[in-house]
Structure formats: C-alpha cells, structure tokens
Amino acid sequence: MTNNYDDKRGIGMTSDRTRNRLAKRLEDQGIKSLDVLDKIRVIPRHIFVDEALASRAYEDTALPIGHGQTISQPFIVARMTEELLKYAQGGKILEIGTGCGYQTAILSLLFEKIFSVERIKDLLIKSKKRLRSIGIYNVSYLHDDGWNGWKKYGPYDGIIVTAAAAEVPEKLVQQLAVNGTLVMPLGPEGKQELINVKRCKEKFEYKKLGAVSFVPLIKLSLIHISE
C-alpha cells in the first residue's frame, strides 16, 4: 500500500520517539499483539486531532474531536483491535463510528477491507479526506445510523462498535458471518463493559472484557451519502 506516513511523522511531541514511548506504555499495560503495537507506532495520531491538541496526541487519553465526540484512548483502540484481530478469521470488517478516523486507520493496516459507518456527516467527510491524505484507500464510507450496520456488504468477519449501547443491536449481530466476532462497549454511562460476541452456527457466545467509557450509540435515520 502506498502511503504518506513519512510526510506526517511530526517533530518533538509528535516524533517517532514519542510514538515508540506510547507503544511501550500500551505493551506494559497488557497489549500483546506485536502487529497492533506496530500500527500504533506507524499511524500519526496527531493528525486526527485539532492542531491545538497535537502535543497531547500521544498521551494515553481520549481527546475531543468536536460534535460531542472523542478520539478514543490509545489503550482502548489497541485493546479492541487486538480482540478483533484475535478472533476475526477473515479480512472484511464493519466499523460503526468512523469518528476522526484513527481507529479506522489502524484497522485498515490489519484487514483487507473496512466498511465504516458514521452518523455525523461533517466527521465522516473530514475523516475520509484525512485517511486518503495518508494513502489509505481500502475503506468504504457510509453516512447512516450505526444501529443499522451496512447490510449490503455483509456478512462481516468482524464488527467493531466505537460507541456504547444499552443492548447489542440485533441488526449488527445478524450481519456477522458464522464464526465472526463483534467487539463493542455495552451498558449505560458509568457502567459500561467491553464485550466480545461470537456468532456460532446455532448461537451467540458472549464474553466480557472489562470496564470502559464511551460516548453513546445514538439511533438516527439519515440519508446515505455514499455506497
């Protein structure tokens, strides 16, 4: 894949050394996948936040991206990606919540094709432009309600949801391939848990992965801007 990562490497607080420190911190916190850690080092997180926040881009913390949304904490991005990589047995991934595009970028380097759905049009347009600026083209984008998924291109080997719901969306699990896995935060604010849902031939298997904190997955009816 042709990319422009070298053009976005940054200096000082956005340098390679800073990225390496972040990856080492995530490893110390329990991230075991060398592939995931390598992609954390490669993707320039500072371009996914406002320029005023660039000096904080490699802190292990969530940061605001506008519209009441945040770029997820790097540990959570790595944890969810690691879980998906562990169990998704193919290369087709559905992402619910494009946001600023950082999680999308990490996924794009680990899986063959990403289908990403975002309900906030402005975020989606900016993310698409940002990802293409660093040479990422294996992502398709849809402006729609995340609760609906993207049935047209299913079933998916893996689904990742970057916002919390009170219940597992039925339309999403139905878009999983057999042996596919869904990773998402579940529960109300203050009581959310990251879960893994695996689709077996005749049932779904649920596994809890620990406490998390995410913005809510909001139901909306929106017009598609791309297919």
Side-chain angles (χ1 to χ4, degrees):
M1 179 189 301
T2 301
N3 62 64
N4 300 318
Y5 306 139
D6 288 339
D7 296 336
K8 309 292 184 179
R9 286 201 177 277
I11 58 175
M13 292 300 292
T14 62
S15 66
D16 286 351
R17 181 179 298 179
T18 303
R19 297 183 206 186
N20 288 334
R21 282 201 299 265
L22 173 60
K24 181 61 168 62
R25 190 178 307 128
L26 299 184
E27 185 177 18
D28 291 343
Q29 291 176 350
I31 301 301
K32 296 180 174 60
S33 171
L34 297 181
D35 285 336
V36 172
L37 292 170
D38 178 63
K39 303 310 177 278
I40 293 289
R41 291 186 183 95
V42 167
I43 294 296
R45 191 173 186 250
H46 63 279
I47 74 166
F48 294 89
V49 299
D50 188 272
E51 188 174 351
L53 295 171
S55 64
R56 300 188 60 199
Y58 299 98
E59 296 177 9
D60 188 22
T61 187
L63 295 169
I65 57 171
H67 302 279
Q69 306 298 299
T70 61
I71 180 173
S72 294
Q73 176 188 357
F75 175 78
I76 295 299
V77 170
R79 181 72 181 88
M80 294 180 76
T81 305
E82 181 176 60
E83 190 72 11
L84 200 63
L85 194 62
K86 188 186 304 182
Y87 294 105
Q89 298 302 306
K92 188 162 65 170
I93 303 298
L94 174 64
E95 178 190 39
I96 302 301
T98 314
C100 65
Y102 178 65
Q103 173 76 78
T104 318
I106 299 293
L107 293 171
S108 76
L109 301 187
L110 293 165
F111 296 96
E112 182 178 347
K113 181 66 177 179
I114 312 300
F115 296 86
S116 192
V117 180
E118 173 56 54
R119 69 178 179 85
I120 301 173
K121 184 177 181 179
D122 184 55
L123 285 179
L124 186 66
I125 292 171
K126 288 179 179 178
S127 295
K128 183 176 181 179
K129 182 178 179 180
R130 186 180 291 122
L131 290 170
R132 289 185 173 179
S133 78
I134 57 172
I136 292 175
Y137 292 97
N138 62 332
V139 181
S140 293
Y141 307 87
L142 179 67
H143 179 215
D144 200 3
D145 187 338
W147 286 79
N148 294 329
W150 198 346
K151 185 177 180 180
K152 180 177 180 179
Y153 296 107
Y156 299 96
D157 303 301
I159 299 177
I160 184 169
V161 183
T162 60
E167 59 187 17
V168 178
E170 180 66 22
K171 289 183 179 180
L172 294 188
V173 293
Q174 293 303 327
Q175 290 173 36
L176 275 175
V178 174
N179 295 321
T181 191
L182 177 149
V183 179
M184 70 172 292
L186 187 69
E189 185 176 0
K191 296 182 180 179
Q192 297 172 4
E193 282 197 280
L194 195 63
I195 66 165
N196 178 312
V197 182
K198 181 180 180 181
R199 184 171 192 173
C200 304
K201 286 186 178 180
E202 298 179 355
K203 64 178 181 177
F204 293 96
E205 295 180 351
Y206 293 74
K207 182 174 69 171
K208 295 181 179 180
L209 304 172
V212 290
S213 178
F214 279 80
V215 296
L217 181 65
I218 298 174
K219 291 184 179 181
L220 291 175
S221 293
L222 298 172
I223 299 174
H224 296 185
I225 62 171
S226 64
E227 284 290 345

